[in-house]
Amino acid sequence: MTEAVSLDPITIEISWNSLRSVADECFLTLMRSAFSTNIKERHDHSTAIADRTGRLIVQAENALPIHLASMSGLIGLILEQYKDSVAPGDIFIANDPHVAGGSHLPDINMAMPVFDGERLLGFVANIVHHADVGGASVGSMSGGLNEIYKEGLRIPILRLFRKGELNGDIMRFMLLNMRLPDERLGDLNAQIAAVKLGTKRLGEIVARHGADHLVALCDEIVSRTNLRMRKAISGVPDGDYSFEDVMDDDGLGTEDVRIALTARKRGEKVIFDFTGTSSQVAGNFNMTLNTTKSAVCYALKALLDPEVPNNQGIFDAIEIRAEHGSFVNCVHPAGVAMRANSCQRVVDVVLGAFADALPDRVVAAANGANTSAVFAGRDPRTGAPYVYLETLGGGAGGRATKDGKDGVQVHITNTANLPVEAIELEYPLRVEEYALIPNSGGAGRHRGGLGIRRSIRPVGHLCEFNGVGERFRHQPWGIFGGKAGAAGQFYLQNDDGSRKNLPSKIAGVFVRQETVVVIETPGAGGYGEPAERSTEAMRDDLASGKFTERFIAENYVPVKVA
């Protein structure tokens, strides 16, 4: 029985920060314990705490917004499927988007319950993007796969640990179906360590303040977040706000996949209606409703209150309407491996819809992609197989008060670009160029950010390259008169001087040492009409190497001095 606990504002703030510190410590523990570069260098993982009813309470500071709804969805399903059999020492594992609340198969979720005696108080959870979970393509992230069965091992909600005892059969079964099982085991053990640590830390908080304190605190955090979000929404003028955009293609022949949105704002509530969006496609860019929810909540938070906590209180402040079987609410057996690219487009659509209502807060279209590159082969130094997976950043959209950032991950991902030193140390690959692409940001009063060029050569072996890009056909749009950013591209540059352009969704390209794979990510759109610039500012632009003289002459007018 829960006793009524009264929490004053100071106690709430101190206790809230205790929960945040637990989530952050779990995040760092996972990062420092992992084997793969995708986690220890790129930080493609998230940690969180949920309450006894499955409501998400807190995410780590550096967690990924795209993971927001997936962890909440997992825990809700654990409570539904396992009901009263959840016990201390249990650890649950899952990844499937269609039956286990996941967003795509490489993201493996874990959750561990927190108890006070026999009383369930909540869960500690995490998600890790594994560099490979089997399937038809190395890296489990190729475009062109037409059903989820081809994307990797599907894991329903399973009890990996029962009352503290590992179910070795489950672990052996998973590892058998994944490439690089030793690396996978290292990352899975890092996840296990992180949830165990979080459970221990929450137990220490309960021992100090009592179980009723934690229950009351979770209720207060969600309630206050919801109140704060609804207040922010109330500041937006009532009305219907519409926008639409398209994906380049689905990798299997369907071009211009439409995402249409009407945001209906009334009082303290907003309904996001995706009526008019394309049906789910054959290619694996579809989104589950959980994924769409994460993207929408991120965009609304970024527009209205960037400091509001990521938790159930945000979900409760909005409503999403999306037709079952549509591109943004797909059904089994739709492929979803590349859903992050689609998430970026949903964010752009939300920002575009609110542009007129919130002109000082929206930004132009960012690079609009999670440009992915997978290199795989056998390391000639050791004879061991390797898989190098990376999603590269690009330009961020121009803003009302400043230029967009160059060469960064944007919006729903917080991952880092992998350092050159890490690539060359861990893999038989040489990075011959890693640079910003001049002129790739759209001109404007505040220009869009620049894209990235990464040129990679295999060393002493034949390697396989798989790549997926978006905004390769449709450039990132500018806003309020700003110009579009440059599109991305993949191509092969041979030592004999010849060049071969590659499609934006490509798999199974075998590359020898005499060939360099060149990845160019999109820039971003500019904000506002290109303004006059002083001669001194133009000299600085040229000296930075980010612009050519021709680009400046075509887009800016020099200030005339009397």
Side-chain angles (χ1 to χ4, degrees):
M1 180 68 67
T2 302
E3 296 183 6
V5 175
S6 178
L7 300 175
D8 62 85
I10 294 176
T11 300
I12 292 172
E13 186 67 18
I14 293 172
S15 299
W16 158 243
N17 279 291
S18 295
L19 295 186
R20 292 177 61 189
S21 71
V22 172
D24 289 342
E25 186 179 4
C26 291
F27 184 93
L28 293 172
T29 297
L30 212 168
M31 180 185 79
R32 292 167 178 166
S33 304
F35 278 33
S36 66
T37 56
N38 201 45
I39 311 306
K40 65 185 181 183
E41 297 284 357
R42 296 193 60 250
H43 315 151
D44 197 347
H45 65 289
S46 295
T47 57
I49 297 168
D51 74 357
R52 68 200 187 286
T53 66
R55 297 181 302 179
L56 193 70
I57 303 301
V58 56
Q59 268 190 313
E61 182 72 19
N62 291 320
L64 278 59
I66 195 172
H67 292 158
L68 181 63
S70 295
M71 286 187 281
S72 173
L74 166 70
I75 295 166
L77 288 169
I78 290 172
L79 292 169
E80 178 183 316
Q81 294 179 21
Y82 287 85
K83 297 183 174 63
D84 297 331
S85 71
V86 178
D90 288 350
I91 297 179
F92 297 89
I93 188 169
N95 75 344
D96 192 79
H98 295 299
V99 302
S103 62
H104 71 166
L105 298 182
D107 281 353
I108 295 181
N109 297 7
M110 282 193 193
M112 187 172 189
V114 178
F115 280 85
D116 179 45
E118 296 183 357
R119 180 183 177 188
L120 177 65
L121 298 179
F123 291 83
V124 176
N126 62 50
I127 292 182
V128 158
H129 182 123
H130 288 259
D132 183 278
V133 291
S137 292
V138 176
S140 311
M141 282 281 286
S142 294
L145 303 179
N146 64 354
E147 58 180 3
I148 196 165
Y149 299 108
K150 298 178 181 179
E151 296 181 346
L153 178 66
R154 299 177 65 193
I155 308 170
I157 299 175
L158 299 174
R159 199 171 346 216
L160 182 62
F161 280 73
R162 183 184 294 271
K163 298 182 179 180
E165 293 295 322
L166 171 67
N167 186 331
D169 292 343
I170 293 175
M171 184 68 82
R172 284 190 294 273
F173 176 79
M174 292 192 303
L175 296 176
L176 182 66
N177 286 278
M178 300 176 182
R179 300 172 180 92
L180 307 184
D182 290 343
E183 184 177 274
R184 298 288 66 75
L185 179 60
D187 287 348
L188 289 167
N189 281 337
Q191 289 186 260
I192 293 166
V195 293
K196 286 184 174 181
L197 174 67
T199 303
K200 178 182 177 181
R201 292 287 185 261
L202 284 183
E204 292 168 356
I205 292 174
V206 171
R208 189 180 311 123
H209 299 290
D212 291 334
H213 172 92
L214 180 61
V215 171
L217 176 65
C218 292
D219 290 341
E220 281 289 333
I221 289 170
V222 171
S223 175
R224 288 168 181 257
T225 298
N226 181 253
L227 179 64
R228 183 167 157 181
M229 200 68 209
R230 288 191 288 108
K231 182 178 180 181
I233 290 171
S234 70
V236 180
D238 283 358
D240 292 351
Y241 302 100
S242 299
F243 196 80
E244 65 179 61
D245 203 345
V246 295
M247 305 292 292
D248 288 345
D249 64 277
D250 74 337
L252 286 173
T254 301
E255 295 186 342
D256 299 344
V257 182
R258 183 184 184 209
I259 299 177
L261 170 67
T262 296
R264 298 188 173 89
K265 189 271 171 182
R266 303 289 187 274
E268 294 184 336
K269 187 170 183 179
V270 57
I271 297 171
F272 291 88
D273 187 348
F274 287 92
T275 299
T277 294
S278 295
S279 298
Q280 66 186 54
V281 293
N284 53 353
F285 286 77
N286 301 288
M287 303 169 66
T288 62
L289 189 59
N290 264 349
T291 306
T292 301
K293 187 185 295 186
S294 292
V296 169
C297 286
Y298 157 78
L300 194 65
K301 169 181 167 172
L303 282 171
L304 300 183
D305 190 348
E307 300 303 320
V308 72
N310 279 340
N311 64 41
Q312 184 67 37
I314 299 177
F315 295 152
D316 293 343
I318 69 168
E319 180 182 339
I320 294 178
R321 296 178 181 174
E323 184 180 350
H324 209 50
S326 69
F327 185 69
V328 296
N329 185 12
C330 68
V331 297
H332 179 269
V336 297
M338 307 311 303
R339 91 288 184 234
N341 294 276
S342 310
C343 272
Q344 300 285 20
R345 197 70 80 257
V346 168
V347 172
D348 282 346
V349 168
V350 174
L351 297 179
F354 283 105
D356 290 336
L358 303 168
D360 58 331
R361 300 187 190 181
V362 297
V363 298
N367 68 81
N370 280 69
T371 307
S372 71
V374 177
F375 292 79
R378 194 165 290 276
D379 192 332
R381 300 169 296 186
T382 64
Y386 75 91
V387 178
Y388 156 47
L389 162 72
E390 180 169 15
T391 60
L392 291 114
R399 297 165 280 182
T401 59
K402 59 184 75 173
D403 295 342
K405 290 188 175 182
D406 304 319
V408 293
Q409 297 283 351
V410 296
H411 295 317
I412 48 86
T413 54
N414 284 341
T415 56
N417 299 323
L418 193 59
V420 171
E421 296 85 352
I423 296 173
E424 297 187 342
L425 178 66
E426 300 241 3
Y427 309 110
L429 302 169
R430 180 182 302 128
V431 180
E432 301 205 342
E433 184 180 16
Y434 179 37
L436 298 174
I437 304 171
N439 305 334
S440 57
R445 184 167 76 247
H446 297 291
R447 66 159 178 86
L450 305 183
I452 292 172
R453 182 184 296 116
R454 179 99 89 176
S455 302
I456 297 177
R457 182 190 297 272
V459 178
H461 73 296
L462 178 71
C463 88
E464 179 181 350
F465 170 70
N466 300 331
V468 174
E470 265 292 320
R471 295 288 194 201
F472 278 37
R473 288 180 59 242
H474 296 286
Q475 297 168 248
W477 39 263
I479 197 167
F480 303 129
K483 302 292 182 67
Q489 61 178 336
F490 297 133
Y491 60 91
L492 303 179
Q493 185 67 53
N494 299 311
D495 287 348
D496 63 9
S498 62
R499 167 176 162 166
K500 179 181 180 181
N501 293 331
L502 299 175
S504 61
K505 284 82 176 174
I506 186 71
V509 176
F510 288 92
V511 184
R512 299 187 181 276
Q513 184 163 323
E514 59 269 19
T515 300
V516 174
V517 179
V518 182
I519 303 157
E520 292 190 354
T521 67
Y527 185 105
E529 294 282 352
E532 295 183 343
R533 295 174 75 83
S534 68
T535 302
E536 181 180 358
M538 289 186 182
R539 278 200 300 265
D540 291 341
D541 289 343
L542 286 169
S544 72
K546 296 179 180 180
F547 307 96
T548 62
E549 191 168 337
R550 178 178 176 180
F551 180 87
I552 292 172
E554 289 177 349
N555 291 285
Y556 293 99
V557 178
V559 174
K560 295 178 182 178
V561 180

